[in-house]
Amino acid sequence: MFADHKNPFDRLLVAQSLSEPLVLLARDHKLARYGGTVRPV
C-alpha cells in the first residue's frame, strides 16, 4: 500500500487517519491515493 511513498512519518500519519476518525490534510498529492481520509490542500 505504501510502497511508493518513502517518508515513514507520512506513512504513519496516513495509517493513523485510516484507523481513527481523522482527516489528514496534506500538501503531498501522492498521499490522497490512500483513501478518503486524506485530502490534498
Side-chain angles (χ1 to χ4, degrees):
M1 178 175 192
F2 298 111
D4 65 336
H5 201 77
K6 306 287 189 235
N7 188 331
F9 187 69
D10 285 348
R11 295 189 319 226
L12 180 66
L13 290 174
V14 170
Q16 182 98 23
S17 73
L18 291 172
S19 67
E20 297 184 20
L22 300 173
V23 175
L24 175 62
L25 301 176
R27 290 188 61 164
D28 189 349
H29 292 279
K30 286 183 182 179
L31 294 177
R33 291 186 276 174
Y34 295 115
T37 62
V38 182
R39 300 213 177 104
V41 291

PDB file of all heavy atoms in Angstrom:
ATOM      1  N   MET A   1       0.820  -1.204   0.000  1.00  0.00           N
ATOM      2  CA  MET A   1       0.000   0.000   0.000  1.00  0.00           C
ATOM      3  C   MET A   1       0.861   1.263   0.000  1.00  0.00           C
ATOM      4  O   MET A   1       0.586   2.202  -0.702  1.00  0.00           O
ATOM      5  CB  MET A   1      -0.930  -0.032   1.205  1.00  0.00           C
ATOM      6  CG  MET A   1      -1.792   1.187   1.314  1.00  0.00           C
ATOM      7  SD  MET A   1      -2.967   1.011   2.659  1.00  0.00           S
ATOM      8  CE  MET A   1      -4.016   2.358   2.318  1.00  0.00           C
ATOM      9  N   PHE A   2       1.905   1.288   0.812  1.00  0.00           N
ATOM     10  CA  PHE A   2       2.730   2.488   0.938  1.00  0.00           C
ATOM     11  C   PHE A   2       4.054   2.354   0.190  1.00  0.00           C
ATOM     12  O   PHE A   2       4.989   3.068   0.479  1.00  0.00           O
ATOM     13  CB  PHE A   2       3.031   2.773   2.409  1.00  0.00           C
ATOM     14  CG  PHE A   2       1.819   3.054   3.244  1.00  0.00           C
ATOM     15  CD1 PHE A   2       1.395   2.169   4.199  1.00  0.00           C
ATOM     16  CD2 PHE A   2       1.105   4.213   3.057  1.00  0.00           C
ATOM     17  CE1 PHE A   2       0.282   2.431   4.974  1.00  0.00           C
ATOM     18  CE2 PHE A   2      -0.011   4.492   3.819  1.00  0.00           C
ATOM     19  CZ  PHE A   2      -0.426   3.595   4.781  1.00  0.00           C
ATOM     20  N   ALA A   3       4.134   1.453  -0.776  1.00  0.00           N
ATOM     21  CA  ALA A   3       5.414   1.147  -1.411  1.00  0.00           C
ATOM     22  C   ALA A   3       6.022   2.337  -2.138  1.00  0.00           C
ATOM     23  O   ALA A   3       7.233   2.478  -2.166  1.00  0.00           O
ATOM     24  CB  ALA A   3       5.239  -0.008  -2.383  1.00  0.00           C
ATOM     25  N   ASP A   4       5.199   3.218  -2.706  1.00  0.00           N
ATOM     26  CA  ASP A   4       5.771   4.308  -3.488  1.00  0.00           C
ATOM     27  C   ASP A   4       6.011   5.569  -2.674  1.00  0.00           C
ATOM     28  O   ASP A   4       6.536   6.540  -3.181  1.00  0.00           O
ATOM     29  CB  ASP A   4       4.878   4.627  -4.681  1.00  0.00           C
ATOM     30  CG  ASP A   4       3.521   5.152  -4.263  1.00  0.00           C
ATOM     31  OD1 ASP A   4       3.110   4.862  -3.147  1.00  0.00           O
ATOM     32  OD2 ASP A   4       2.886   5.837  -5.073  1.00  0.00           O
ATOM     33  N   HIS A   5       5.647   5.551  -1.407  1.00  0.00           N
ATOM     34  CA  HIS A   5       5.859   6.732  -0.576  1.00  0.00           C
ATOM     35  C   HIS A   5       6.906   6.401   0.482  1.00  0.00           C
ATOM     36  O   HIS A   5       6.682   5.577   1.351  1.00  0.00           O
ATOM     37  CB  HIS A   5       4.550   7.177   0.076  1.00  0.00           C
ATOM     38  CG  HIS A   5       4.596   8.605   0.506  1.00  0.00           C
ATOM     39  ND1 HIS A   5       4.457   9.636  -0.386  1.00  0.00           N
ATOM     40  CD2 HIS A   5       4.809   9.175   1.701  1.00  0.00           C
ATOM     41  CE1 HIS A   5       4.572  10.781   0.253  1.00  0.00           C
ATOM     42  NE2 HIS A   5       4.794  10.521   1.510  1.00  0.00           N
ATOM     43  N   LYS A   6       8.036   7.059   0.408  1.00  0.00           N
ATOM     44  CA  LYS A   6       9.194   6.673   1.214  1.00  0.00           C
ATOM     45  C   LYS A   6       9.265   7.308   2.602  1.00  0.00           C
ATOM     46  O   LYS A   6       9.978   6.835   3.455  1.00  0.00           O
ATOM     47  CB  LYS A   6      10.480   7.024   0.464  1.00  0.00           C
ATOM     48  CG  LYS A   6      10.556   6.448  -0.915  1.00  0.00           C
ATOM     49  CD  LYS A   6      10.806   4.978  -0.890  1.00  0.00           C
ATOM     50  CE  LYS A   6      11.085   4.471  -2.272  1.00  0.00           C
ATOM     51  NZ  LYS A   6      10.253   3.408  -2.687  1.00  0.00           N
ATOM     52  N   ASN A   7       8.522   8.379   2.835  1.00  0.00           N
ATOM     53  CA  ASN A   7       8.620   9.084   4.109  1.00  0.00           C
ATOM     54  C   ASN A   7       7.872   8.313   5.196  1.00  0.00           C
ATOM     55  O   ASN A   7       6.649   8.206   5.166  1.00  0.00           O
ATOM     56  CB  ASN A   7       8.044  10.489   3.969  1.00  0.00           C
ATOM     57  CG  ASN A   7       8.290  11.343   5.183  1.00  0.00           C
ATOM     58  OD1 ASN A   7       8.399  10.851   6.302  1.00  0.00           O
ATOM     59  ND2 ASN A   7       8.370  12.633   4.976  1.00  0.00           N
ATOM     60  N   PRO A   8       8.584   7.763   6.195  1.00  0.00           N
ATOM     61  CA  PRO A   8       7.917   6.968   7.224  1.00  0.00           C
ATOM     62  C   PRO A   8       6.954   7.790   8.084  1.00  0.00           C
ATOM     63  O   PRO A   8       5.939   7.266   8.542  1.00  0.00           O
ATOM     64  CB  PRO A   8       9.056   6.399   8.055  1.00  0.00           C
ATOM     65  CG  PRO A   8      10.257   7.173   7.697  1.00  0.00           C
ATOM     66  CD  PRO A   8      10.027   7.801   6.361  1.00  0.00           C
ATOM     67  N   PHE A   9       7.237   9.054   8.296  1.00  0.00           N
ATOM     68  CA  PHE A   9       6.333   9.877   9.100  1.00  0.00           C
ATOM     69  C   PHE A   9       5.007  10.090   8.370  1.00  0.00           C
ATOM     70  O   PHE A   9       3.935  10.021   8.975  1.00  0.00           O
ATOM     71  CB  PHE A   9       6.981  11.212   9.447  1.00  0.00           C
ATOM     72  CG  PHE A   9       6.169  12.021  10.417  1.00  0.00           C
ATOM     73  CD1 PHE A   9       6.027  11.627  11.724  1.00  0.00           C
ATOM     74  CD2 PHE A   9       5.521  13.164   9.994  1.00  0.00           C
ATOM     75  CE1 PHE A   9       5.260  12.361  12.620  1.00  0.00           C
ATOM     76  CE2 PHE A   9       4.749  13.911  10.874  1.00  0.00           C
ATOM     77  CZ  PHE A   9       4.630  13.504  12.190  1.00  0.00           C
ATOM     78  N   ASP A  10       5.055  10.320   7.067  1.00  0.00           N
ATOM     79  CA  ASP A  10       3.829  10.452   6.280  1.00  0.00           C
ATOM     80  C   ASP A  10       3.019   9.159   6.311  1.00  0.00           C
ATOM     81  O   ASP A  10       1.801   9.178   6.424  1.00  0.00           O
ATOM     82  CB  ASP A  10       4.136  10.822   4.834  1.00  0.00           C
ATOM     83  CG  ASP A  10       4.537  12.269   4.664  1.00  0.00           C
ATOM     84  OD1 ASP A  10       4.365  13.052   5.619  1.00  0.00           O
ATOM     85  OD2 ASP A  10       5.027  12.625   3.581  1.00  0.00           O
ATOM     86  N   ARG A  11       3.709   8.031   6.201  1.00  0.00           N
ATOM     87  CA  ARG A  11       3.014   6.745   6.262  1.00  0.00           C
ATOM     88  C   ARG A  11       2.346   6.552   7.609  1.00  0.00           C
ATOM     89  O   ARG A  11       1.227   6.031   7.691  1.00  0.00           O
ATOM     90  CB  ARG A  11       3.985   5.609   5.971  1.00  0.00           C
ATOM     91  CG  ARG A  11       4.516   5.670   4.560  1.00  0.00           C
ATOM     92  CD  ARG A  11       5.300   4.455   4.171  1.00  0.00           C
ATOM     93  NE  ARG A  11       6.188   3.964   5.210  1.00  0.00           N
ATOM     94  CZ  ARG A  11       7.432   3.610   5.023  1.00  0.00           C
ATOM     95  NH1 ARG A  11       7.954   3.692   3.828  1.00  0.00           N
ATOM     96  NH2 ARG A  11       8.168   3.161   6.000  1.00  0.00           N
ATOM     97  N   LEU A  12       2.983   6.983   8.663  1.00  0.00           N
ATOM     98  CA  LEU A  12       2.400   6.891   9.998  1.00  0.00           C
ATOM     99  C   LEU A  12       1.150   7.763  10.108  1.00  0.00           C
ATOM    100  O   LEU A  12       0.126   7.340  10.662  1.00  0.00           O
ATOM    101  CB  LEU A  12       3.428   7.312  11.048  1.00  0.00           C
ATOM    102  CG  LEU A  12       2.990   7.271  12.497  1.00  0.00           C
ATOM    103  CD1 LEU A  12       2.728   5.846  12.934  1.00  0.00           C
ATOM    104  CD2 LEU A  12       4.038   7.902  13.380  1.00  0.00           C
ATOM    105  N   LEU A  13       1.197   8.961   9.565  1.00  0.00           N
ATOM    106  CA  LEU A  13       0.032   9.848   9.596  1.00  0.00           C
ATOM    107  C   LEU A  13      -1.142   9.270   8.805  1.00  0.00           C
ATOM    108  O   LEU A  13      -2.295   9.351   9.244  1.00  0.00           O
ATOM    109  CB  LEU A  13       0.405  11.222   9.046  1.00  0.00           C
ATOM    110  CG  LEU A  13       1.329  12.062   9.916  1.00  0.00           C
ATOM    111  CD1 LEU A  13       1.730  13.325   9.171  1.00  0.00           C
ATOM    112  CD2 LEU A  13       0.668  12.406  11.228  1.00  0.00           C
ATOM    113  N   VAL A  14      -0.859   8.683   7.649  1.00  0.00           N
ATOM    114  CA  VAL A  14      -1.920   8.075   6.854  1.00  0.00           C
ATOM    115  C   VAL A  14      -2.530   6.898   7.601  1.00  0.00           C
ATOM    116  O   VAL A  14      -3.758   6.751   7.663  1.00  0.00           O
ATOM    117  CB  VAL A  14      -1.397   7.628   5.470  1.00  0.00           C
ATOM    118  CG1 VAL A  14      -2.430   6.786   4.742  1.00  0.00           C
ATOM    119  CG2 VAL A  14      -1.020   8.833   4.640  1.00  0.00           C
ATOM    120  N   ALA A  15      -1.708   6.062   8.192  1.00  0.00           N
ATOM    121  CA  ALA A  15      -2.214   4.920   8.953  1.00  0.00           C
ATOM    122  C   ALA A  15      -3.080   5.378  10.118  1.00  0.00           C
ATOM    123  O   ALA A  15      -4.133   4.787  10.385  1.00  0.00           O
ATOM    124  CB  ALA A  15      -1.052   4.071   9.456  1.00  0.00           C
ATOM    125  N   GLN A  16      -2.676   6.430  10.784  1.00  0.00           N
ATOM    126  CA  GLN A  16      -3.458   6.975  11.901  1.00  0.00           C
ATOM    127  C   GLN A  16      -4.805   7.492  11.403  1.00  0.00           C
ATOM    128  O   GLN A  16      -5.833   7.249  12.025  1.00  0.00           O
ATOM    129  CB  GLN A  16      -2.684   8.111  12.565  1.00  0.00           C
ATOM    130  CG  GLN A  16      -3.372   8.710  13.754  1.00  0.00           C
ATOM    131  CD  GLN A  16      -2.863   8.160  15.054  1.00  0.00           C
ATOM    132  OE1 GLN A  16      -1.752   7.661  15.108  1.00  0.00           O
ATOM    133  NE2 GLN A  16      -3.653   8.249  16.075  1.00  0.00           N
ATOM    134  N   SER A  17      -4.816   8.183  10.282  1.00  0.00           N
ATOM    135  CA  SER A  17      -6.073   8.728   9.773  1.00  0.00           C
ATOM    136  C   SER A  17      -7.007   7.616   9.289  1.00  0.00           C
ATOM    137  O   SER A  17      -8.220   7.775   9.323  1.00  0.00           O
ATOM    138  CB  SER A  17      -5.826   9.735   8.655  1.00  0.00           C
ATOM    139  OG  SER A  17      -5.434   9.099   7.470  1.00  0.00           O
ATOM    140  N   LEU A  18      -6.452   6.498   8.848  1.00  0.00           N
ATOM    141  CA  LEU A  18      -7.285   5.373   8.422  1.00  0.00           C
ATOM    142  C   LEU A  18      -7.854   4.598   9.603  1.00  0.00           C
ATOM    143  O   LEU A  18      -8.942   4.044   9.514  1.00  0.00           O
ATOM    144  CB  LEU A  18      -6.477   4.433   7.525  1.00  0.00           C
ATOM    145  CG  LEU A  18      -6.095   4.976   6.165  1.00  0.00           C
ATOM    146  CD1 LEU A  18      -5.138   4.024   5.463  1.00  0.00           C
ATOM    147  CD2 LEU A  18      -7.312   5.229   5.317  1.00  0.00           C
ATOM    148  N   SER A  19      -7.135   4.560  10.707  1.00  0.00           N
ATOM    149  CA  SER A  19      -7.579   3.763  11.849  1.00  0.00           C
ATOM    150  C   SER A  19      -8.473   4.532  12.812  1.00  0.00           C
ATOM    151  O   SER A  19      -9.177   3.922  13.610  1.00  0.00           O
ATOM    152  CB  SER A  19      -6.379   3.190  12.597  1.00  0.00           C
ATOM    153  OG  SER A  19      -5.644   4.239  13.204  1.00  0.00           O
ATOM    154  N   GLU A  20      -8.444   5.838  12.756  1.00  0.00           N
ATOM    155  CA  GLU A  20      -9.262   6.665  13.636  1.00  0.00           C
ATOM    156  C   GLU A  20     -10.112   7.609  12.779  1.00  0.00           C
ATOM    157  O   GLU A  20      -9.801   7.821  11.621  1.00  0.00           O
ATOM    158  CB  GLU A  20      -8.372   7.482  14.568  1.00  0.00           C
ATOM    159  CG  GLU A  20      -7.553   6.615  15.485  1.00  0.00           C
ATOM    160  CD  GLU A  20      -6.747   7.427  16.474  1.00  0.00           C
ATOM    161  OE1 GLU A  20      -7.074   8.598  16.708  1.00  0.00           O
ATOM    162  OE2 GLU A  20      -5.770   6.881  16.993  1.00  0.00           O
ATOM    163  N   PRO A  21     -11.149   8.173  13.334  1.00  0.00           N
ATOM    164  CA  PRO A  21     -11.974   9.099  12.545  1.00  0.00           C
ATOM    165  C   PRO A  21     -11.304  10.466  12.387  1.00  0.00           C
ATOM    166  O   PRO A  21     -11.723  11.458  12.968  1.00  0.00           O
ATOM    167  CB  PRO A  21     -13.274   9.191  13.336  1.00  0.00           C
ATOM    168  CG  PRO A  21     -12.872   8.902  14.744  1.00  0.00           C
ATOM    169  CD  PRO A  21     -11.731   7.932  14.648  1.00  0.00           C
ATOM    170  N   LEU A  22     -10.218  10.508  11.614  1.00  0.00           N
ATOM    171  CA  LEU A  22      -9.461  11.743  11.399  1.00  0.00           C
ATOM    172  C   LEU A  22      -9.380  12.050   9.916  1.00  0.00           C
ATOM    173  O   LEU A  22      -9.423  11.157   9.083  1.00  0.00           O
ATOM    174  CB  LEU A  22      -8.033  11.586  11.928  1.00  0.00           C
ATOM    175  CG  LEU A  22      -7.858  11.283  13.402  1.00  0.00           C
ATOM    176  CD1 LEU A  22      -6.400  10.985  13.695  1.00  0.00           C
ATOM    177  CD2 LEU A  22      -8.335  12.443  14.241  1.00  0.00           C
ATOM    178  N   VAL A  23      -9.232  13.322   9.588  1.00  0.00           N
ATOM    179  CA  VAL A  23      -8.976  13.745   8.215  1.00  0.00           C
ATOM    180  C   VAL A  23      -7.575  14.333   8.182  1.00  0.00           C
ATOM    181  O   VAL A  23      -7.245  15.214   8.966  1.00  0.00           O
ATOM    182  CB  VAL A  23     -10.007  14.792   7.745  1.00  0.00           C
ATOM    183  CG1 VAL A  23      -9.650  15.313   6.375  1.00  0.00           C
ATOM    184  CG2 VAL A  23     -11.402  14.190   7.740  1.00  0.00           C
ATOM    185  N   LEU A  24      -6.755  13.805   7.297  1.00  0.00           N
ATOM    186  CA  LEU A  24      -5.382  14.280   7.150  1.00  0.00           C
ATOM    187  C   LEU A  24      -5.333  15.246   5.974  1.00  0.00           C
ATOM    188  O   LEU A  24      -5.672  14.885   4.849  1.00  0.00           O
ATOM    189  CB  LEU A  24      -4.441  13.102   6.905  1.00  0.00           C
ATOM    190  CG  LEU A  24      -2.986  13.432   6.601  1.00  0.00           C
ATOM    191  CD1 LEU A  24      -2.343  14.151   7.776  1.00  0.00           C
ATOM    192  CD2 LEU A  24      -2.220  12.172   6.267  1.00  0.00           C
ATOM    193  N   LEU A  25      -4.940  16.476   6.230  1.00  0.00           N
ATOM    194  CA  LEU A  25      -4.747  17.476   5.179  1.00  0.00           C
ATOM    195  C   LEU A  25      -3.265  17.480   4.827  1.00  0.00           C
ATOM    196  O   LEU A  25      -2.425  17.690   5.695  1.00  0.00           O
ATOM    197  CB  LEU A  25      -5.184  18.861   5.666  1.00  0.00           C
ATOM    198  CG  LEU A  25      -6.629  18.977   6.113  1.00  0.00           C
ATOM    199  CD1 LEU A  25      -6.893  20.368   6.666  1.00  0.00           C
ATOM    200  CD2 LEU A  25      -7.576  18.659   4.979  1.00  0.00           C
ATOM    201  N   ALA A  26      -2.964  17.233   3.552  1.00  0.00           N
ATOM    202  CA  ALA A  26      -1.564  17.073   3.152  1.00  0.00           C
ATOM    203  C   ALA A  26      -1.270  17.866   1.881  1.00  0.00           C
ATOM    204  O   ALA A  26      -2.110  17.961   0.995  1.00  0.00           O
ATOM    205  CB  ALA A  26      -1.265  15.599   2.922  1.00  0.00           C
ATOM    206  N   ARG A  27      -0.070  18.392   1.803  1.00  0.00           N
ATOM    207  CA  ARG A  27       0.366  19.086   0.589  1.00  0.00           C
ATOM    208  C   ARG A  27       0.874  18.106  -0.452  1.00  0.00           C
ATOM    209  O   ARG A  27       0.965  18.426  -1.618  1.00  0.00           O
ATOM    210  CB  ARG A  27       1.468  20.074   0.939  1.00  0.00           C
ATOM    211  CG  ARG A  27       0.942  21.240   1.747  1.00  0.00           C
ATOM    212  CD  ARG A  27       1.980  22.262   1.914  1.00  0.00           C
ATOM    213  NE  ARG A  27       2.359  22.757   0.575  1.00  0.00           N
ATOM    214  CZ  ARG A  27       3.015  23.858   0.358  1.00  0.00           C
ATOM    215  NH1 ARG A  27       3.393  24.598   1.363  1.00  0.00           N
ATOM    216  NH2 ARG A  27       3.314  24.239  -0.862  1.00  0.00           N
ATOM    217  N   ASP A  28       1.241  16.918  -0.034  1.00  0.00           N
ATOM    218  CA  ASP A  28       1.741  15.890  -0.944  1.00  0.00           C
ATOM    219  C   ASP A  28       0.545  15.172  -1.576  1.00  0.00           C
ATOM    220  O   ASP A  28      -0.188  14.450  -0.910  1.00  0.00           O
ATOM    221  CB  ASP A  28       2.607  14.897  -0.172  1.00  0.00           C
ATOM    222  CG  ASP A  28       3.331  13.923  -1.069  1.00  0.00           C
ATOM    223  OD1 ASP A  28       3.012  13.866  -2.273  1.00  0.00           O
ATOM    224  OD2 ASP A  28       4.216  13.215  -0.569  1.00  0.00           O
ATOM    225  N   HIS A  29       0.345  15.370  -2.874  1.00  0.00           N
ATOM    226  CA  HIS A  29      -0.828  14.812  -3.545  1.00  0.00           C
ATOM    227  C   HIS A  29      -0.750  13.296  -3.700  1.00  0.00           C
ATOM    228  O   HIS A  29      -1.751  12.656  -3.964  1.00  0.00           O
ATOM    229  CB  HIS A  29      -1.029  15.488  -4.896  1.00  0.00           C
ATOM    230  CG  HIS A  29      -1.425  16.917  -4.753  1.00  0.00           C
ATOM    231  ND1 HIS A  29      -2.713  17.302  -4.497  1.00  0.00           N
ATOM    232  CD2 HIS A  29      -0.697  18.056  -4.790  1.00  0.00           C
ATOM    233  CE1 HIS A  29      -2.776  18.620  -4.397  1.00  0.00           C
ATOM    234  NE2 HIS A  29      -1.559  19.106  -4.567  1.00  0.00           N
ATOM    235  N   LYS A  30       0.434  12.716  -3.531  1.00  0.00           N
ATOM    236  CA  LYS A  30       0.546  11.259  -3.573  1.00  0.00           C
ATOM    237  C   LYS A  30      -0.218  10.618  -2.419  1.00  0.00           C
ATOM    238  O   LYS A  30      -0.723   9.512  -2.551  1.00  0.00           O
ATOM    239  CB  LYS A  30       2.009  10.829  -3.470  1.00  0.00           C
ATOM    240  CG  LYS A  30       2.823  11.063  -4.697  1.00  0.00           C
ATOM    241  CD  LYS A  30       4.221  10.528  -4.472  1.00  0.00           C
ATOM    242  CE  LYS A  30       5.114  10.777  -5.642  1.00  0.00           C
ATOM    243  NZ  LYS A  30       6.466  10.278  -5.384  1.00  0.00           N
ATOM    244  N   LEU A  31      -0.320  11.304  -1.304  1.00  0.00           N
ATOM    245  CA  LEU A  31      -1.000  10.742  -0.141  1.00  0.00           C
ATOM    246  C   LEU A  31      -2.504  10.616  -0.352  1.00  0.00           C
ATOM    247  O   LEU A  31      -3.147   9.787   0.288  1.00  0.00           O
ATOM    248  CB  LEU A  31      -0.724  11.594   1.106  1.00  0.00           C
ATOM    249  CG  LEU A  31       0.704  11.612   1.608  1.00  0.00           C
ATOM    250  CD1 LEU A  31       0.843  12.541   2.798  1.00  0.00           C
ATOM    251  CD2 LEU A  31       1.176  10.228   1.974  1.00  0.00           C
ATOM    252  N   ALA A  32      -3.064  11.380  -1.243  1.00  0.00           N
ATOM    253  CA  ALA A  32      -4.514  11.341  -1.480  1.00  0.00           C
ATOM    254  C   ALA A  32      -4.953   9.996  -2.057  1.00  0.00           C
ATOM    255  O   ALA A  32      -6.126   9.646  -1.973  1.00  0.00           O
ATOM    256  CB  ALA A  32      -4.919  12.472  -2.403  1.00  0.00           C
ATOM    257  N   ARG A  33      -4.019   9.227  -2.599  1.00  0.00           N
ATOM    258  CA  ARG A  33      -4.367   7.919  -3.158  1.00  0.00           C
ATOM    259  C   ARG A  33      -4.671   6.886  -2.077  1.00  0.00           C
ATOM    260  O   ARG A  33      -5.133   5.801  -2.393  1.00  0.00           O
ATOM    261  CB  ARG A  33      -3.219   7.406  -4.015  1.00  0.00           C
ATOM    262  CG  ARG A  33      -3.041   8.218  -5.276  1.00  0.00           C
ATOM    263  CD  ARG A  33      -2.013   7.605  -6.147  1.00  0.00           C
ATOM    264  NE  ARG A  33      -0.712   8.083  -5.677  1.00  0.00           N
ATOM    265  CZ  ARG A  33       0.440   7.658  -6.132  1.00  0.00           C
ATOM    266  NH1 ARG A  33       0.482   6.715  -7.024  1.00  0.00           N
ATOM    267  NH2 ARG A  33       1.567   8.156  -5.674  1.00  0.00           N
ATOM    268  N   TYR A  34      -4.403   7.192  -0.828  1.00  0.00           N
ATOM    269  CA  TYR A  34      -4.515   6.193   0.225  1.00  0.00           C
ATOM    270  C   TYR A  34      -5.851   6.215   0.945  1.00  0.00           C
ATOM    271  O   TYR A  34      -5.990   5.635   2.009  1.00  0.00           O
ATOM    272  CB  TYR A  34      -3.379   6.351   1.233  1.00  0.00           C
ATOM    273  CG  TYR A  34      -2.048   6.073   0.601  1.00  0.00           C
ATOM    274  CD1 TYR A  34      -1.098   7.065   0.479  1.00  0.00           C
ATOM    275  CD2 TYR A  34      -1.746   4.827   0.104  1.00  0.00           C
ATOM    276  CE1 TYR A  34       0.114   6.834  -0.120  1.00  0.00           C
ATOM    277  CE2 TYR A  34      -0.543   4.571  -0.504  1.00  0.00           C
ATOM    278  CZ  TYR A  34       0.385   5.572  -0.603  1.00  0.00           C
ATOM    279  OH  TYR A  34       1.578   5.329  -1.199  1.00  0.00           O
ATOM    280  N   GLY A  35      -6.844   6.853   0.398  1.00  0.00           N
ATOM    281  CA  GLY A  35      -8.173   6.770   0.986  1.00  0.00           C
ATOM    282  C   GLY A  35      -8.844   8.105   1.139  1.00  0.00           C
ATOM    283  O   GLY A  35      -8.256   9.168   0.929  1.00  0.00           O
ATOM    284  N   GLY A  36     -10.113   8.046   1.506  1.00  0.00           N
ATOM    285  CA  GLY A  36     -10.921   9.240   1.631  1.00  0.00           C
ATOM    286  C   GLY A  36     -10.603  10.088   2.839  1.00  0.00           C
ATOM    287  O   GLY A  36     -11.063  11.216   2.934  1.00  0.00           O
ATOM    288  N   THR A  37      -9.792   9.563   3.749  1.00  0.00           N
ATOM    289  CA  THR A  37      -9.448  10.347   4.936  1.00  0.00           C
ATOM    290  C   THR A  37      -8.298  11.299   4.689  1.00  0.00           C
ATOM    291  O   THR A  37      -7.986  12.126   5.533  1.00  0.00           O
ATOM    292  CB  THR A  37      -9.097   9.432   6.117  1.00  0.00           C
ATOM    293  OG1 THR A  37      -7.958   8.645   5.780  1.00  0.00           O
ATOM    294  CG2 THR A  37     -10.264   8.527   6.480  1.00  0.00           C
ATOM    295  N   VAL A  38      -7.636  11.189   3.529  1.00  0.00           N
ATOM    296  CA  VAL A  38      -6.516  12.067   3.182  1.00  0.00           C
ATOM    297  C   VAL A  38      -6.992  13.037   2.119  1.00  0.00           C
ATOM    298  O   VAL A  38      -7.470  12.631   1.067  1.00  0.00           O
ATOM    299  CB  VAL A  38      -5.314  11.253   2.665  1.00  0.00           C
ATOM    300  CG1 VAL A  38      -4.154  12.184   2.352  1.00  0.00           C
ATOM    301  CG2 VAL A  38      -4.898  10.208   3.667  1.00  0.00           C
ATOM    302  N   ARG A  39      -6.847  14.322   2.401  1.00  0.00           N
ATOM    303  CA  ARG A  39      -7.288  15.351   1.446  1.00  0.00           C
ATOM    304  C   ARG A  39      -6.121  16.279   1.113  1.00  0.00           C
ATOM    305  O   ARG A  39      -5.483  16.834   2.003  1.00  0.00           O
ATOM    306  CB  ARG A  39      -8.410  16.159   2.066  1.00  0.00           C
ATOM    307  CG  ARG A  39      -9.591  15.287   2.414  1.00  0.00           C
ATOM    308  CD  ARG A  39     -10.890  15.986   2.279  1.00  0.00           C
ATOM    309  NE  ARG A  39     -11.964  15.054   2.555  1.00  0.00           N
ATOM    310  CZ  ARG A  39     -12.645  15.032   3.678  1.00  0.00           C
ATOM    311  NH1 ARG A  39     -12.418  15.895   4.621  1.00  0.00           N
ATOM    312  NH2 ARG A  39     -13.604  14.144   3.850  1.00  0.00           N
ATOM    313  N   PRO A  40      -5.856  16.451  -0.170  1.00  0.00           N
ATOM    314  CA  PRO A  40      -4.782  17.372  -0.571  1.00  0.00           C
ATOM    315  C   PRO A  40      -5.236  18.815  -0.420  1.00  0.00           C
ATOM    316  O   PRO A  40      -6.408  19.135  -0.616  1.00  0.00           O
ATOM    317  CB  PRO A  40      -4.539  17.016  -2.031  1.00  0.00           C
ATOM    318  CG  PRO A  40      -5.803  16.385  -2.496  1.00  0.00           C
ATOM    319  CD  PRO A  40      -6.432  15.739  -1.309  1.00  0.00           C
ATOM    320  N   VAL A  41      -4.323  19.661  -0.045  1.00  0.00           N
ATOM    321  CA  VAL A  41      -4.606  21.105   0.078  1.00  0.00           C
ATOM    322  C   VAL A  41      -3.696  21.890  -0.830  1.00  0.00           C
ATOM    323  O   VAL A  41      -2.678  21.456  -1.237  1.00  0.00           O
ATOM    324  CB  VAL A  41      -4.475  21.611   1.530  1.00  0.00           C
ATOM    325  CG1 VAL A  41      -5.573  21.042   2.357  1.00  0.00           C
ATOM    326  CG2 VAL A  41      -3.135  21.308   2.108  1.00  0.00           C
TER     327      VAL A  41
END
